[in-house]
Amino acid sequence: MDYEHSDASAGGRGLPTAFKILIAGGFGVGKTTMVGAVSETGPLRTEEVLSEQGVGIDDISGVEAKTTTTVAMDFGRITINDDLVLYLFGTPGQDRFWFVWDELALGALGAVVLADTRRLADCFPSIDYFERQGTPFIVAVNCFEGARRYELEEVQLALDLDPDVPVMLCDARQRQSGKEVLIALLRKAMERRDRDRAAAGR
């Protein structure tokens, strides 16, 4: 598959195909940042200031500078080409907001699980969720400044991922980096869809 970005409209060729993508991961991993970086429209955010009520509940070790948190979702949109639009839904990271995940996941083509090597274990709930749901996903390691760099094979092993789950590096602040992650997820999801169709046709 070869996707090229275009901000142009469909030019009279009909409405583009739209897919729903989830951006998931632990608290403070960069989900809101990624949605905002790649969205071609002003992203919808449901952030609230961290308060005393979260003390002892939200683990901010490693992200002490974080002052807000997503309480429902982030939403953005990106046009990949004239025929393809992605709607991005960033999930909340804390346990107490997971009740919204099932609603957000309805109809999703696939998911990006953002990882922070300083808090790698925070990925496990997202990975477990998508594995249980049978949702295609990839893992994107957000490269925070000052964080130790690991080989992708080490990350895959540490997260106990199946060999066919792609792991890649990204910078959630950079639009091009985010686009590359989304295109990698599209390839993964389309491969799964083609494989399932072939199996059903036997």
Side-chain angles (χ1 to χ4, degrees), residues 116-118 141-151 154:
D116 178 353
T117 56
R118 300 169 301 178
V141 179
N142 194 8
C143 299
F144 287 90
E145 293 180 9
R148 180 180 170 185
R149 299 298 176 93
Y150 293 86
E151 296 295 330
E154 293 180 280

Side-chain angles (χ1 to χ4, degrees), residues 115-138:
D116 178 353
T117 56
R118 300 169 301 178
R119 299 156 57 96
L120 202 55
D122 290 359
C123 290
F124 284 118
S126 299
I127 290 170
D128 289 344
Y129 181 85
F130 296 125
E131 287 180 339
R132 289 197 309 270
Q133 297 292 321
T135 302
F137 70 94
I138 68 172

Side-chain angles (χ1 to χ4, degrees), residues 18-142:
F19 289 123
K20 179 180 184 180
I21 301 295
L22 298 185
I23 310 296
F27 177 64
V29 77
K31 301 180 294 294
T32 298
T33 300
M34 174 172 277
V35 172
V38 302
S39 181
E40 62 199 15
T41 61
L44 170 66
R45 292 172 174 161
T46 58
E47 287 195 305
E48 295 292 340
V49 176
L50 292 172
S51 64
E52 292 182 359
Q53 283 72 26
V55 175
I57 299 175
D58 297 328
D59 178 11
I60 62 171
S61 58
V63 287
E64 290 84 359
K66 186 172 174 62
T67 59
T68 61
T69 184
T70 298
V71 297
M73 68 173 185
D74 301 307
F75 175 77
R77 184 190 73 196
I78 180 171
T79 301
I80 300 297
N81 61 28
D82 290 348
D83 301 314
L84 181 61
V85 173
L86 302 182
Y87 292 104
L88 311 176
F89 290 79
T91 65
Q94 302 97 307
D95 299 10
R96 67 183 188 277
F97 297 128
W98 281 353
F99 63 90
V100 304
W101 276 49
D102 288 340
E103 293 293 330
L104 292 178
L106 284 174
L109 177 72
V112 173
V113 176
L114 279 177
D116 178 353
T117 56
R118 300 169 301 178
R119 299 156 57 96
L120 202 55
D122 290 359
C123 290
F124 284 118
S126 299
I127 290 170
D128 289 344
Y129 181 85
F130 296 125
E131 287 180 339
R132 289 197 309 270
Q133 297 292 321
T135 302
F137 70 94
I138 68 172
V139 173
V141 179
N142 194 8

